[in-house]
Amino acid sequence: MNYQPGIFSTYLSDEEMVSIVSDDALIKYLLHFEMVLAMTQAKLGIVPQPVADEIGTILHQIQIAPADLTEGTLKNGVPVITLLSFAKQKLSTKASQYLHYGATSQDAMDTAQVLIIQDAIVVIEKRVNDLHAHLTKLGEQYGNAACMAHTRGQQAMPVTFQLKLNAWLQPLQRQLQRLSEIKRRLLSVQLGGAVGTLSVYDDKGKQLVDELAGELKLLAALPWHSQRDNFCEFTNWLAMLTGVLGKMGADVLAMSQSEIDEVMENGPEGGKSSAMPGKNNPVLSEALVALARLNATLQSQMLQSLVHVNERDATAWILEWNAIPQMIINAGASLNHALTISTNIKVNTARMAQNVEQFLKKSPDK
């Protein structure tokens, strides 16, 4: 799939995240799953070692483009079957019989999805930490500046700018804590076979899962084909993250209004108007609010994937294929914009003081 292409590729998207969740990345990890599965099966004597070696060599060399899988995906509803058929054409008869041995398409797809998410988390976590550092530095520079607090859209009483920053900083700290907890459940291998019983492996099923998880650097887990709560927990975290950044964007929008003029989002190089050249539109903050709303909407879609009927339900599973990559991209784009704002924002402490002074003149009892 291609997400947010064309002219909006840098405004409402994130090229690095698009690459991480791309079809090419999915193919890479599907092949990697099959290679490691054969290798661990050979280690346990489930398949012959020469067969595993051949599978590893061929899958390492094979080149499969997303376009090669489109017709088969339309026919079968998943790309795995066509991908395996391409590989079997390159394998000996004996090796082709052991490729994907005892696994099901969902094992390959879910594990590949987890590996993609793991790559995304590395980037997201670094950006959140960088943003936290930027906002902390802003506090060191301007935190003591007096400014007006607003409740329900109205001036309330004077505070320091640090109070505003804390409302952006503290949720980020909690998000990092939440992510640390979520990773202990989320980054798990999927291997269950046709219906999650691992019966084809006899008494070696659990050991195979443990070995496979270790080789993939994932957690071992019982088959979770119909249990989608870990994915939903992660996407809820993404929706919360973009919501936290959306709150930051909404505050910047309010503080940069002409009548308030306490901050300038991206310095003098901010968004321009075709009709009013003198304007400096806070377009990155607008995007933060919009991306927060987009992810909130997609999370409602993800929650519907929890209604996963019986042992495999593609009508629920398909929802994830659409939502998870886009939510990751939205989170990446939001973090990029928040990092730009936190680096380039101009804080007008003189105007903050003026707004406080005017308020106090009007409200001497405050």
Side-chain angles (χ1 to χ4, degrees):
M1 298 181 187
N2 293 315
Y3 303 94
Q4 296 290 359
I7 58 176
F8 291 107
S9 60
T10 55
Y11 184 49
L12 296 178
S13 189
D14 175 353
E15 291 182 5
E16 186 173 11
M17 290 302 180
V18 168
S19 177
I20 287 173
V21 304
S22 68
D23 288 344
D24 288 323
L26 176 63
I27 291 169
K28 177 185 74 173
Y29 280 131
L30 289 174
L31 292 170
H32 186 59
F33 169 83
E34 301 294 346
M35 290 170 57
V36 177
L37 177 64
M39 179 180 71
T40 52
Q41 288 173 339
K43 184 177 180 180
L44 298 178
I46 297 171
V47 306
Q49 185 65 55
V51 163
D53 292 341
E54 181 184 346
I55 289 172
T57 299
I58 294 300
L59 294 191
H60 181 71
Q61 296 173 347
I62 197 169
Q63 299 292 319
I64 300 176
D68 297 330
L69 305 181
T70 54
E71 184 177 346
T73 302
L74 177 62
K75 178 182 178 181
N76 302 308
V78 288
V80 178
I81 297 167
T82 306
L83 179 141
L84 293 173
S85 71
F86 271 101
K88 287 178 179 180
Q89 292 172 17
K90 306 288 186 180
L91 293 168
S92 66
T93 301
K94 185 174 183 180
S96 67
Q97 293 172 348
Y98 284 104
L99 178 66
H100 194 69
Y101 182 69
T104 190
S105 294
Q106 189 171 0
D107 293 332
M109 287 287 289
D110 279 353
T111 302
Q113 182 75 276
V114 169
L115 291 168
I116 286 170
I117 288 171
Q118 183 171 244
D119 287 347
I121 284 175
V122 171
V123 178
I124 289 171
E125 200 165 19
K126 181 183 184 304
R127 291 186 192 174
V128 173
N129 277 302
D130 287 347
L131 177 59
H132 187 277
H134 290 187
L135 294 175
T136 299
K137 185 177 179 180
L138 270 180
E140 293 169 354
Q141 292 177 300
Y142 303 108
N144 291 328
C147 65
M148 287 305 305
H150 294 75
T151 59
R152 303 179 71 174
Q154 304 298 306
Q155 287 184 327
M157 60 189 304
V159 295
T160 64
F161 185 50
Q162 188 64 52
L163 184 78
K164 299 277 189 182
L165 291 172
N166 285 346
W168 308 345
L169 270 167
Q170 291 172 359
L172 288 178
Q173 293 169 343
R174 291 191 290 271
Q175 281 297 95
L176 288 170
Q177 293 168 358
R178 292 184 184 107
L179 184 59
S180 178
E181 296 166 3
I182 289 169
K183 286 191 291 185
R184 296 198 291 267
R185 295 181 287 273
L186 171 67
L187 301 179
S188 301
V189 71
Q190 173 77 282
L191 182 65
V195 294
T197 61
L198 296 169
S199 58
V200 73
Y201 303 122
D202 297 323
D203 61 345
K204 295 182 178 178
K206 182 181 183 305
Q207 189 178 1
L208 177 60
V209 171
D210 291 344
E211 292 285 345
L212 181 63
E215 291 294 335
L216 292 171
K217 295 181 173 55
L218 296 175
L219 302 169
L222 293 171
W224 44 275
H225 289 153
S226 61
Q227 303 165 35
R228 316 311 288 181
D229 52 299
N230 285 336
F231 278 166
C232 284
E233 184 179 29
F234 173 62
T235 55
N236 189 63
W237 184 90
L238 291 173
M240 290 175 67
L241 175 64
T242 50
V244 167
L245 301 179
K247 187 270 191 289
M248 173 181 165
D251 283 351
V252 173
L253 286 173
M255 295 178 74
S256 62
Q257 281 182 231
S258 301
E259 296 83 355
I260 297 176
D261 193 27
E262 293 181 341
V263 299
M264 185 181 293
E265 174 198 83
N266 197 16
E269 301 304 317
K272 304 303 181 184
S273 167
S274 62
M276 293 166 281
K279 289 185 70 182
N280 189 311
N281 294 322
V283 297
L284 300 183
S285 296
E286 290 172 340
L288 288 183
V289 174
L291 289 163
R293 290 170 177 164
L294 287 170
N295 263 5
T297 300
L298 286 167
Q299 177 58 10
S300 69
Q301 176 179 314
M302 277 298 299
L303 291 174
Q304 295 184 59
S305 74
L306 289 169
V307 187
H308 197 109
V309 179
N310 290 324
E311 284 60 59
R312 184 166 299 107
D313 182 356
T315 63
W317 198 21
I318 289 168
L319 299 176
E320 299 172 0
W321 306 344
N322 173 264
I324 293 174
Q326 190 60 62
M327 293 184 74
I328 289 171
I329 292 167
N330 289 345
S334 292
L335 282 165
N336 281 342
H337 293 336
L339 284 165
T340 300
I341 294 168
S342 65
T343 301
N344 297 337
I345 192 170
K346 302 301 181 185
V347 180
N348 189 346
T349 56
R351 185 57 184 263
M352 286 179 173
Q354 182 181 347
N355 289 339
V356 169
E357 183 180 356
Q358 289 176 346
F359 170 78
L360 293 175
K361 285 180 178 178
K362 291 187 295 183
S363 308
D365 57 314
K366 302 290 181 69

